[in-house]
Amino acid sequence: MSIPLATIVAWLNRLMRIFRDLGDRLWAYVRSAPGTYVWLAVLFVTTVALHHMSPEFEQDFLRQRSTNIHELSNDPLRVLVQSAMWIDGGRWLPYAVLYTVFHAQAERWLGTARWLMVCVAAHVLATLISEGALLRAVHEGVAPQSAVNTLDIGVSYALAGVVAVLTYRIAPPWRYLYLAGVLVVYGLPLLSAPTFTDLGHFVSVLIGLACYPLVRGRGKAWNPKETVAALRG
């Protein structure tokens, strides 16, 4: 049984309209969180660059942009900025998902300026506190002297801070379930063989929660129950 050409053309036109609509919606979503996706684009470029480096050169290159004790002592502003432009491990796609789920939601809710304030506060303060704790451990002989040159780059502190501040985006009692999950995810590593990075992540969560003044006046909290009811109805 042959299908009339007119029917095939109609189907193709319908598919094109669907894809065009999806593309428009996707682009609208990206434009609603410009800071998130500009940052993600930078991470994509730098991740591609890492894949073209030899392992030896990559380690040396990243260490010079690392917020370790040595680099923070020499040029703190430079490394605090540069360390947030690279991903250790070279896997960009998981961050694309995490940025869309957390950063984009926070930026759309708070606005770009307030979202950026949360990111900067978490990244900078958690870095300084965790590296300060590591420096003390070195001085007390708990950590080796080589720890001053440890590799410490990435965007996870800013992400943890944003994950935490999103607690206030959710209406009670769901807010407390979300907060409990956040505290478990970032708190458990501190209970078993903690590292300075684990400390930095937990500090980032506390900083995100301390950013409550930034969320005032940002609209009604999201109620999952209302969303489910709307989908059913």
Side-chain angles (χ1 to χ4, degrees), residues 62-101:
L62 291 179
R63 190 164 281 109
Q64 293 177 28
R65 288 151 182 81
S66 174
T67 49
N68 56 42
I69 296 170
H70 175 72
E71 296 297 339
L72 281 172
S73 300
N74 292 330
D75 198 346
L77 182 59
R78 175 183 64 81
V79 294
L80 282 168
V81 174
Q82 291 185 347
S83 65
M85 299 296 117
W86 301 86
I87 298 173
D88 187 20
R91 293 184 297 174
W92 178 84
L93 189 57
Y95 284 94
V97 175
L98 292 172
Y99 269 52
T100 298
V101 172

Side-chain angles (χ1 to χ4, degrees), residues 102 160 163-164 167 170 173-189 202 205 209:
F102 296 107
V163 168
T167 298
I170 306 170
W174 315 105
R175 171 182 300 174
Y176 308 119
L177 292 175
Y178 176 85
L179 176 59
V182 171
L183 293 177
V184 166
V185 168
Y186 289 104
L188 279 181
F202 194 75
V205 168
L209 294 173

Side-chain angles (χ1 to χ4, degrees), residues 49-69:
L50 285 180
H51 285 295
H52 288 80
M53 298 178 185
S54 67
E56 297 79 11
F57 180 80
E58 177 184 329
Q59 288 296 306
D60 185 60
F61 180 86
L62 291 179
R63 190 164 281 109
Q64 293 177 28
R65 288 151 182 81
S66 174
T67 49
N68 56 42
I69 296 170

